[in-house]
Amino acid sequence: MSSTQILLLIGAYFLVLMIISYFTGKNDSNSDFFKAGKQSPWYLVAFGMVGASLSGVTFISVPGWIEDSQFGYMQVVFGYLFGYFVVAYVLLPLYYKYNLTSIYEYLLDRFGSVSHKTGAFFFFISRVLGAAFRLYLVAIVLQQFVFDDLGIRFEFTVIISILLIWIYTNRGGIKTIVWTDTLQTLFMILAVVLSVIFILDELNWTFGEFLSSEELKPYSQFLYTDSFLDRNHFIKSFVGGMFITICMTGLDQDMMQKNLTCKSLKDAQKNMVSFSLVLVGVTFLFMLLGALLFIYSGKNGISMPLMDGSPKSDLLFPEIALNSGLGLTLAITFMLGLIAAAYSSADSALTSLTTSFCVDFLNVEKRKEDQQRTIRKRTHIAMSIMLILVIISFKYILSSNVIDSLLTVSGYTYGPLLGLFAFGILTKHQIKDKYVWVVSILSVVIIALVANIPSSFLGGYVVGYELLPLNGLLTFFGLWLIRTKEPIPSIDQ
């Protein structure tokens, strides 16, 4: 597939998104931008959230991770499933009870303004890094397979990507996102299914023959239970996955903003449960695709693509789809899936960052009505520029598999949110609000020190995704130390 063909495909795809944006963003109001008028059908939100949760990271990085981790990532995914039920039946009732625009307003009602700002700050850092990770992955693929041939620099690729997102989210915000995510999820799932079909056909295998093949066995280990000291032990992966979901979905304005557009709590819960079950199945399909990619590359002598002189497993899927002679249909399918997976996450991230900054830091809902839309639009531009700068910086500092980097960073940034919300929900204590930021920062610093302790100092124990619950526990303990005997304020206060 030529660079010109890919550019035409991207242009056509974004034209469709612009049309959706035109019809969903006619009001151009803050109410639609932040909450979609609380009229979103739950099944539409559920389907769209699949694409937003998987994103370009899953689309490329999970298949590329198979060689190192085999199917061990499914241990984390099973933990995700349990975590989604916690979100549905513990956190969603809380958010609907308080009728929140930003979920961090709960911390304002429960503890005070410093807790509110601290929670919003850690979300802000988490989502900026998370969105930047996801868009970075797509940008390097576009750069490697499209823009390098045209002599276009990586920085310009990033700017164009963010500019396109800004254009179609500028007016409708979350109302637009609910509909575009549905289309993007459809493209993404279609892409992975067709990719499996095309590669199996090239190998002269049926799906059943692939599952029972000797070639699959070296990649098919699910459970790692030999030594608890290992980073990928089942219990550590499962518990880590559960808390990753609770934090990266349940305590994340990006993911919860979609749920809060549903008409009722019951609809939001149906959305969360159905979405979580579909997500497990789709992720497993991605893992199968990853194994199939390595088998196909081995049989056909396709070497691992290089980036800056080093092998990059994240680029194996695009290399096979675009350059291995499997045909134009697979190339088009891959590019549509990649673009859809990437932007279904990035567009909602940009919208949620704008929402959180406007509500949590600028108090936009307390401003004069004629000022509110102007503040929101300027913030939307500022968030776009910030994402551009962060993504460009990643090109010079990232070295590991992107999804591994993403989950590792979440252990640092979401821990204080976990501790704050857990303390608010599980105890009846008030706290000395002015010290909350100190507790949160100290918790992150301690976790960073723990993460860098050599395994030889810990008897061979390798720290993994359990950093996140440990971080939350440290924050919880710190909040316990600064508790007071004041009663919990009521919602009406």
Side-chain angles (χ1 to χ4, degrees), residues 33-48:
F33 190 97
F34 295 150
K35 288 188 174 183
K38 294 187 77 70
Q39 294 297 314
S40 300
W42 69 267
Y43 46 86
L44 202 68
V45 177
F47 190 68

Side-chain angles (χ1 to χ4, degrees), residues 210-229:
F210 164 55
L211 293 180
S212 60
S213 68
E214 289 297 317
E215 289 88 343
L216 178 60
K217 290 181 180 178
Y219 301 103
S220 60
Q221 184 173 352
F222 269 92
L223 300 179
Y224 289 81
T225 57
D226 292 340
S227 173
F228 188 73
L229 300 178

Side-chain angles (χ1 to χ4, degrees), residues 427-448:
T427 78
K428 295 184 179 180
H429 294 290
Q430 275 292 85
I431 56 178
K432 297 174 182 176
D433 184 52
K434 64 181 180 180
Y435 297 121
V436 167
W437 71 272
V438 177
V439 169
S440 301
I441 295 296
L442 284 175
S443 177
V444 172
V445 170
I446 293 171
I447 286 297

Side-chain angles (χ1 to χ4, degrees), residues 93-101 105-106 109-110 488-491:
L94 186 72
Y95 300 152
Y96 270 83
K97 176 182 178 182
Y98 281 80
N99 190 29
L100 304 176
T101 298
E105 292 175 292
Y106 164 73
D109 292 321
R110 180 65 175 83
I488 296 176
S490 67
I491 297 176

Side-chain angles (χ1 to χ4, degrees), residues 251-281:
L251 303 182
D252 186 283
Q253 175 66 21
D254 184 356
M255 300 303 290
M256 287 296 97
Q257 191 166 354
K258 299 181 181 72
N259 285 271
L260 296 177
T261 67
C262 293
K263 298 176 182 179
S264 66
L265 171 61
K266 186 177 180 180
D267 277 359
Q269 289 173 323
K270 286 191 292 186
N271 152 52
M272 183 59 63
V273 171
S274 57
F275 144 73
S276 64
L277 295 173
V278 172
L279 186 66
V280 172

